[in-house]
Every structure is written in C-alpha cells, then in structure tokens.
Amino acid sequence: MWMTNAVALCLLALVASAEDKKLSSHATMLADNSANLAFSLYHNMAKDKDTENILISPVVVASSLGMIALGAKASTASQVKKILNADKLKDEHLHAGLSELLSEVSDAKTRNTTWKINNRLYGPSSVSFTDDFVKNSKKHYNYDHSKINLRDKRSAVNSINEWAAKSTDGKLPEVTKEVQNPDGATIVNAMFFKPHWDETFNDKLVDSRSFLVSRSFTIGVPMMHHSGLYDFYEDTENNIFVLNMPLGQKQASMIFIMPHYVEPLQRLEKLLTRKQVDTWISKMENKAVALSIPKIELEVSHNLQKHLAKLGLTEAVDKAKADLSNISGKKDLYLSNVFHASALELDVKGNPVDTSIYDSEKLRDPKLFYLDHPFIFLVKDNKTNSILYIGRVVRPKGDMLRDEL
C-alpha cells in the first residue's frame, strides 16, 4: 500500500511541478515585448480608414517576426530584433524564447479554449528553401513551407485560401482576394479562436437583438445573456465600461472595453495604451453583473506588410534591400505579403455555472453590461501577461435592420 501511495505522491508532484513551471527569462521578456507590440500594431492599423473589424494575435505576429529573423542576415535581421525590442538578445535565445512562449499559451492540454494556429511560408517557384531553415522554422515556429507560382494570381489565391480553410476546419474560408508582388515570399497565419468561458451561457436564453454599428445603422445579431460575479470597472471620467471574463481554466481572460454610448471608437482608441489598460484592470472590483454579449462569428484577414514596415520592418519588404539569404542561401527573396487571418467565434459554451450564488445576496442590484455597439477587446494570458489577441468589433455579420432612425 505504501508503495502505491508513494507512486501516487510522485505523480502528483510531477503534475504540480509541470503546472508551476515558470517561463525562462527570455520567454518572459519576449512576452512583455509582444504585449507592447500589440498596442503599436493596433494603433497603426486603426488609422486605416478602410479597416472596420480588427483581429490580430501579437504573440503570433511576434513568432512570425522571429521566423523572418531566422531567415534574415545583417541589418535586415537587426531590424526585426529591434521591432521585438530584442536587440541585445542572442539569436538562439530569441528563437527558443518565442518558441517557448507560443507553446505555453497555445497548449490545448492545459487550456480548454480552442485555438488553432497554422503558419505557412510560400516562396516563388524559382526559389529553394535551405534544409536548415526548413528544419529550424518548423522546430521553433511551427511553419511549413510551399512553393507557389504567384504570377498565376488566381491559382495562387485559390491555393492559399484552400489551405487556410482546410487547416481551420472550414472556419476561415478566405484569407485574401489577391496577392501583391509575385516575385516575393508570402507569410500566411491562419487561425481559429473560440473562447471557452469560465461559466457557460444558457443557450435557451439566446435571442435576437440589435447591434448599433452607428446611430443610423443597425444589424440584427443573436445575443447571449448571463448574470454572475465578474471583475468590472466603470470609468466615469471617460464614460467607459471594462469587463473581465475569465476563460475555461482561468489561465486567460477576455477583456471587453466599451464606451457608454454609441460612438466611433477613435476617442476610446486615443486612450488605449498598455498603461491605461493596466490601470483599468487594477481598479476592477468583483461584483454582480448582468451581461449580454453578441453570439457572433468573425472572419478577419489583414495584410500586415505595410503596417510592419511602418513599425520599422523596412528592409525585409524591400526587394532591393532585403537580405533573407538564410532562407534560400541567396539574396533572392523579399517579403511581399504577410497575411494574418483569424476566425473568432463567441459562443455559449463554458464550464458549469456556480448556482450557489443565486441563493445569496451576491447578485442583488447587478451592474448592466450590454455589448450592443462597437467595442475593443483583448484576450490576456494571466501566466505570461502576454496578449493573445487584440481587436475591435465594429460591424459583426448580420442582417441590416434599418439605415436611419
């Protein structure tokens, strides 16, 4: 019996040590740096007037930058490290740290939130990938590789979209309608993210409601409703609500940030910094909240090439200056497209509800949080403090209800 108990205790100790395993100092630093990158990239993209919904994963963008650094030399590689604020980090620590970070936050065994991440580097038919680059980009960044004739644009677009759809089980049917600069390399991130809430919504309470894109444009969406205890803060000075919804194992949270009233998001976006978000979070209190959030599916794709160039990635995207010779052994490549595409699904599913609070005073006089107009959100990892997603929902899918009041 003592032998059985000893074995059981050893197993428990192993499990506990695995759960308590800390990130390396390199991964911790890169997690922090990728969170800063989140806000820089978001603000750059928000300036694009043609962009409505935004959906980007800073840790995946960081890992793609790491993959570019792996394939780059000289000042092209230095620029990538500078964007990641990792100038002083040795290359081996950069790649190992980013690999460790992404593995930690996307581990399906310890987190019961669905997050499928697929990465592919497409090269022109004339270019051959070196064995070392193929091996190391797969090892550190889970990238696979393919040659494609980008000069046949229709065929290339179809190939990219078919791969993305297949790798996300059909959740992401289209990454792009066109490809630019057919003689360059193309990065594609194809992802599917579906939060698993700490407390489930009752699917019988889902009903059709209005989502006010603007004061004169309304879309019909299904809305989910739930009352519970949530970390909540109302910034009365700036007329903003902030709500923290923990996900499945409470290792990550989805943070919703919404103005009191229907308005363009520019005012809120001017306030949106990492320091401000941390301030809002620090002021949250756990209290009764009656919340309603849209049950929606979004598919959003961005070509990040020009946005990364504005953040300092100028050489890798310039045919005349790029040195990506670690990829092919020659200076015959530059980065022509960076497609970053995600499908996001907000659904009712979550852990069983703690019904004991319904017989107490805890849910008396709940705050109302009604997510029925444009909002910003973050998915924040609680262990690494990295940001898994940052985005905004301006116009969800749905039928137009009216075009004027």
Side-chain angles (χ1 to χ4, degrees), residues 269-324:
E269 287 169 340
K270 287 179 180 179
L271 298 171
L272 190 70
T273 63
R274 187 177 181 188
K275 183 179 179 180
Q276 180 62 72
V277 171
D278 287 343
T279 298
W280 282 328
I281 291 173
S282 70
K283 293 182 177 181
M284 285 182 167
E285 295 180 5
N286 193 254
K287 56 182 61 180
V289 179
L291 62 88
S292 299
I293 67 174
K295 181 178 182 288
I296 53 175
E297 297 178 7
L298 295 177
E299 296 92 38
V300 183
S301 183
H302 307 286
N303 192 341
L304 297 182
Q305 190 214 37
K306 66 178 181 180
H307 301 296
L308 291 173
K310 288 179 181 177
L311 294 182
L313 191 74
T314 57
E315 284 197 14
V317 301
D318 188 324
K319 185 177 180 179
K321 296 180 180 179
D323 185 350
L324 298 176

Side-chain angles (χ1 to χ4, degrees), residues 199 352-360 363:
E199 287 196 347
V353 175
D354 177 9
T355 56
S356 65
I357 61 173
Y358 292 114
D359 294 327
S360 68
L363 290 184

Side-chain angles (χ1 to χ4, degrees), residues 53-57 298 300 302 340 342-344 377 389-391:
N53 301 326
I54 293 177
L55 187 56
I56 48 176
S57 172
L298 295 177
V300 183
H302 307 286
H340 186 80
S342 289
L344 170 70
F377 70 91
Y389 271 101
I390 184 171

Side-chain angles (χ1 to χ4, degrees), residues 101-128:
L101 172 62
L102 192 61
S103 296
E104 168 65 36
V105 299
S106 62
D107 185 1
K109 292 182 180 179
T110 58
R111 301 161 184 263
N112 63 346
T113 282
T114 301
W115 193 15
K116 295 183 178 180
I117 306 169
N118 305 277
N119 305 304
R120 176 171 278 193
L121 178 67
Y122 287 93
S125 305
S126 58
V127 172
S128 296

Side-chain angles (χ1 to χ4, degrees), residues 3 28 33 82 90 153 156-157 166 168 177 190 238 278 290 308 335:
M3 192 67 164
T28 300
N33 294 353
K82 189 172 183 179
K90 292 181 179 179
K153 290 190 175 183
V157 166
K166 183 178 180 181
T168 57
K177 288 182 169 64
N238 292 301
D278 287 343
L308 291 173
L335 200 57

Side-chain angles (χ1 to χ4, degrees), residues 291-404:
L291 62 88
S292 299
I293 67 174
K295 181 178 182 288
I296 53 175
E297 297 178 7
L298 295 177
E299 296 92 38
V300 183
S301 183
H302 307 286
N303 192 341
L304 297 182
Q305 190 214 37
K306 66 178 181 180
H307 301 296
L308 291 173
K310 288 179 181 177
L311 294 182
L313 191 74
T314 57
E315 284 197 14
V317 301
D318 188 324
K319 185 177 180 179
K321 296 180 180 179
D323 185 350
L324 298 176
S325 51
N326 279 339
I327 295 179
S328 64
K330 303 175 184 177
K331 288 180 67 175
D332 56 358
L333 265 186
Y334 71 105
L335 200 57
S336 57
N337 299 279
V338 182
F339 294 121
H340 186 80
S342 289
L344 170 70
E345 187 174 319
L346 301 185
D347 197 2
V348 297
K349 294 182 180 178
N351 297 331
V353 175
D354 177 9
T355 56
S356 65
I357 61 173
Y358 292 114
D359 294 327
S360 68
E361 298 292 308
K362 293 180 179 180
L363 290 184
R364 174 173 286 186
D365 299 325
K367 291 285 185 179
L368 298 181
F369 186 78
Y370 198 71
L371 208 65
D372 69 340
H373 54 274
F375 60 90
I376 292 171
F377 70 91
L378 299 92
V379 181
K380 187 174 181 293
D381 185 68
N382 297 325
K383 179 177 179 181
T384 65
N385 283 324
S386 57
I387 295 173
L388 310 187
Y389 271 101
I390 184 171
R392 71 184 184 193
V393 177
V394 172
R395 183 172 175 169
K397 288 189 292 186
D399 295 329
M400 183 177 71
L401 296 183
R402 62 180 185 269
D403 58 5
E404 61 182 354

